[in-house]
Amino acid sequence: MVTQIIFTGIDALPTISLLGLAAGFVFTFRLISVLESVGAASETINLLINVIGLGIGPFLAAIILISRTGSAIVVDLGNMKLHGEIEGLEMLGININNYLIAPRLIGTAISQLAITVYFTFIALVFGIVLSGLLVSNSHFDFLYEIGTAFTPYLVMIFVIKNLLFGIVIAATSCYIGLHVKSSPTEVPQQATRAIVNSLIAIFIIEGLLALAILQ
Amino acid sequence: MKNNPLIHCTQLLAKHSTTSELNLTAHAGNIISIIGQDQESKSNLLKTIAAITEAESGHLYLAGREPTQFNQDDWVNTRTQFAYIHADTAILSAANALQNLMLPAVYHHLGSSDDNMKKAQQLLHDIQAGENLELLPAYLRKEQRYKIAVARALMLNPQALLLDSPFSALELTSIEPFQKFLLNQVKDRNILLILVTHNVSFALKYSDQIIYLSGQQIFKFDKDKRIQDCTNAEINNYLSMLANNINSK
């Protein structure tokens, strides 16, 4: 599980940092500017939390996870299945759900949560700082307001959503990875399948959660 | 008085088998060789005896219990106590030899870390696993990987070792030391050894029972009813064919 967290979470930090900076400029900075120009500056914090923290943050982190970790899990488990390593473990009385699947589920879920926190922090702080430097010094106040605007309810939704994303990505990838049978050509095919299926699953969960939160 | 048999089967018929049913009683410390021309039938039979594949019919008892009655814990226990290894059994590709050996012991919480380490090192030494064991399995020879797989199973102190073609993964010069290693395991640990093999000289010399699979029939031999004295033409042809092969080498 520690290995999974290191690969999924820590090794992904450079990519997440770049994406965070890009999202800070593209979304945070522009949102602040647009909201100010239409006279809705009072809604800035709410919108930033909803769009960056609960929307784009988990979603982009999930896409990074699907492309890096999801495909890696399929290739890893697929090759293990292909070469008989999984059968070898089962012959030793080792339950692969305990030994191979559970650590991947838990590790990926924790990593999804961690990298979304990191991504959201960078995207919000960078966008606000940029806006404070380039547009108005008063925008630096958003930094203080954002800390208090994350209510326990929003934090709960944030945590649940990210853990759910992580578990679904890992579960889909493990399930599909274990479907590799006897040909090496199946591994890349199943990796592609896992990416597509994970994306669909994330879209569906995103939609369902959006509906649930709205109600 | 003899102990209860580790493996007992009555009228056991492997799936897709064309041979007759097998009646077998195997005790700890026994060596049983399964020989015959059809490799697939022999492998199928061994897998059935190991309770890895379900039997077509008949009864199988492992340590006195029928595998059909096993729950999850029984299954785990059976797999640790009745170790089945075929020539291509894979070890974990992401772990070196020592880590591969430690894995099952750590997973099943057997002994302390230090004890397991010492035991693993001793097993690797005894089985003559060779050099460069700190490397990943992909960089080792097939023979080394096979020996590591056998040693890994022995880490769990199994009561029975069921080996499918154990000598086929070995180089010619390694066969005799490996045979000695297996014989020592049987003698020192009182392990039941059942092997599918073409190595008739080993089977004739050391087996308590020999099971010969012909196309339609199973023949059983032991010290009282010796295979060398058999008059069956197919068996005699098989034995002489293998003897000629050995001589020509």
Side-chain angles (χ1 to χ4, degrees):
Chain A
M1 191 176 79
V2 174
T3 316
Q4 186 68 50
I5 291 173
I6 289 171
F7 172 74
T8 308
I10 296 173
D11 289 356
L13 286 185
T15 318
I16 293 292
S17 304
L18 278 175
L19 261 179
L21 292 174
F25 177 70
V26 174
F27 297 109
T28 312
F29 174 65
R30 285 192 174 176
L31 262 175
I32 295 171
S33 306
V34 169
L35 287 171
E36 203 170 51
S37 66
V38 297
S42 59
E43 291 300 317
T44 304
I45 294 299
N46 280 339
L47 247 134
L48 285 180
I49 286 172
N50 275 296
V51 174
I52 308 289
L54 295 177
I56 292 165
F59 196 69
L60 280 179
I63 288 173
I64 296 284
L65 241 74
I66 289 169
S67 56
R68 285 185 84 252
T69 310
S71 53
I73 287 175
V74 176
V75 171
D76 192 21
L77 291 181
N79 278 324
M80 285 182 79
K81 180 95 184 288
L82 198 65
H83 296 132
E85 290 176 45
I86 288 180
E87 185 200 359
L89 290 175
E90 285 177 327
M91 288 301 113
L92 294 164
I94 292 174
N95 183 326
I96 60 157
N97 287 333
N98 296 340
Y99 184 70
L100 294 176
I101 310 301
R104 281 167 172 77
L105 292 185
I106 298 168
T108 308
I110 292 171
S111 301
Q112 161 78 29
L113 179 60
I115 62 176
T116 309
V117 169
Y118 182 70
F119 171 87
T120 306
F121 178 81
I122 290 187
L124 288 176
V125 170
F126 180 69
I128 291 170
V129 169
L130 207 62
S131 183
L133 289 174
L134 299 179
V135 182
S136 162
N137 280 343
S138 64
H139 291 176
F140 281 117
D141 294 341
F142 292 144
L143 288 175
Y144 306 105
E145 292 172 33
I146 249 172
T148 53
F150 261 108
T151 62
Y153 175 70
L154 289 177
V155 171
M156 188 185 74
I157 291 173
F158 180 84
V159 171
I160 290 173
K161 185 175 185 176
N162 280 294
L163 292 179
L164 201 59
F165 275 8
I167 287 171
V168 166
I169 291 166
T172 308
S173 305
C174 289
Y175 178 78
I176 291 174
L178 290 174
H179 268 69
V180 170
K181 289 191 175 75
S182 51
S183 168
T185 55
E186 291 174 45
V187 177
Q189 287 169 353
Q190 298 291 18
T192 311
R193 199 177 139 221
I195 290 173
V196 173
N197 286 5
S198 299
L199 276 173
I200 292 170
I202 294 303
F203 278 127
I204 292 170
I205 294 170
E206 179 76 47
L208 290 175
L209 280 176
L211 278 175
I213 293 166
L214 280 175
Q215 283 172 354
Chain B
M1 196 182 84
K2 271 204 157 181
N3 294 330
N4 290 329
L6 277 179
I7 296 178
H8 178 65
C9 47
T10 52
Q11 297 185 316
L12 187 75
L13 190 65
K15 280 241 161 83
H16 314 298
S17 173
T18 55
T19 60
S20 56
E21 291 133 344
L22 174 72
N23 294 304
L24 176 74
T25 301
H27 291 89
N30 283 174
I31 298 176
I32 297 171
S33 299
I34 302 174
I35 59 173
Q37 296 194 13
D38 185 356
Q39 179 63 32
E40 198 178 338
S41 297
K42 292 186 291 179
S43 297
N44 266 345
L45 182 64
L46 188 69
K47 277 186 181 174
T48 310
I49 293 171
I52 290 163
T53 53
E54 214 175 313
E56 184 73 46
S57 61
H59 296 281
L60 171 69
Y61 300 90
L62 298 180
R65 295 190 56 201
E66 276 202 274
T68 47
Q69 312 294 323
F70 283 174
N71 59 28
Q72 187 60 35
D73 289 342
D74 295 330
W75 170 256
V76 169
N77 195 38
T78 301
R79 288 283 56 93
T80 59
Q81 293 304 300
F82 293 82
Y84 166 82
I85 302 155
H86 57 78
D88 296 317
T89 293
I91 54 176
L92 266 192
S93 57
N96 65 24
L98 211 53
Q99 289 164 339
N100 260 291
L101 258 68
M102 296 283 284
L103 163 70
V106 171
Y107 179 86
H108 292 293
H109 308 292
L110 299 179
S112 69
S113 179
D114 283 349
D115 290 345
N116 287 331
M117 179 72 85
K118 279 180 196 159
K119 190 175 168 185
Q121 283 168 337
Q122 187 64 46
L123 270 170
L124 286 172
H125 174 263
D126 291 348
I127 207 168
Q128 299 181 15
E131 304 298 316
N132 300 323
L133 295 178
E134 69 286 355
L135 298 177
L136 292 177
Y139 299 98
L140 300 177
R141 285 175 286 122
K142 185 182 179 189
E143 171 182 311
Q144 288 181 291
R145 293 198 293 269
Y146 178 71
K147 286 178 173 176
I148 293 166
V150 173
R152 186 174 70 165
L154 287 169
M155 282 294 287
L156 298 173
N157 304 318
Q159 297 180 72
L161 206 51
L162 297 98
L163 306 178
D164 191 345
S165 308
F167 310 119
S168 66
L170 304 179
E171 287 153 28
L172 215 53
T173 51
S174 305
I175 292 177
E176 203 178 317
F178 189 69
Q179 287 177 356
K180 277 185 187 162
F181 171 80
L182 291 178
L183 294 171
N184 283 340
Q185 294 303 312
V186 173
K187 195 175 143 198
D188 300 342
R189 298 184 179 211
N190 203 29
I191 283 179
L192 161 64
L193 177 65
I194 302 182
L195 61 163
V196 163
T197 184
H198 280 305
N199 192 328
V200 174
S201 61
F202 178 87
L204 294 179
K205 201 168 175 185
Y206 300 111
S207 300
D208 296 295
Q209 296 181 60
I210 295 176
I211 297 166
Y212 181 89
L213 263 67
S214 82
Q216 290 83 34
Q217 217 177 334
I218 290 179
F219 295 90
K220 272 177 64 188
F221 303 94
D222 54 27
K223 290 198 162 61
D224 298 325
K225 186 187 166 191
R226 298 181 345 131
I227 192 169
Q228 297 95 316
D229 303 331
C230 177
T231 53
N232 182 289
E234 184 191 323
I235 296 175
N236 286 332
N237 281 342
Y238 176 74
L239 293 179
S240 56
M241 183 182 73
L242 288 178
N244 288 338
N245 275 349
I246 292 167
N247 290 338
S248 64
K249 280 175 185 172

